[in-house]
Amino acid sequence: MRAALLALLALGAVSAIDTTPAEARDYPFCIKGQDYDQVLGDCSFATYQQCQATASGRYAYCDSNPYYSYGAVEPEPQPRRSRRHARD
């Protein structure tokens, strides 16, 4: 019995270590309404159509995410410059 308990404990520890966190990503559209307690609602929709399909038939509506930056592009990394100077 003790061996089985230790085996389960070890299996649980290994599986907890191996998990990766969920990807935190801002989406452009939020669903809001009666079923959502948060001010922003549920901002997990990539398209307006996805949000509308989820809101259909409920007391909910879709709105744009005020914290989503449209068209934001990460800057390209600049090439590293050598500290050595060319000698003439």
Side-chain angles (χ1 to χ4, degrees), residues 21-42:
E23 180 181 344
R25 181 174 168 190
D26 290 327
Y27 289 95
F29 299 102
C30 304
I31 187 170
K32 299 178 181 181
Q34 180 177 336
D35 297 334
Y36 301 96
D37 296 333
Q38 301 150 343
V39 175
L40 284 178
D42 178 15

Side-chain angles (χ1 to χ4, degrees), residues 28-70:
F29 299 102
C30 304
I31 187 170
K32 299 178 181 181
Q34 180 177 336
D35 297 334
Y36 301 96
D37 296 333
Q38 301 150 343
V39 175
L40 284 178
D42 178 15
C43 298
S44 61
F45 299 97
T47 65
Y48 188 73
Q49 289 79 15
Q50 288 175 343
C51 184
Q52 284 289 89
T54 305
S56 178
R58 303 186 330 186
Y59 290 112
Y61 63 97
C62 297
D63 197 9
S64 62
N65 184 351
Y67 296 108
Y68 182 78
S69 55
Y70 292 92

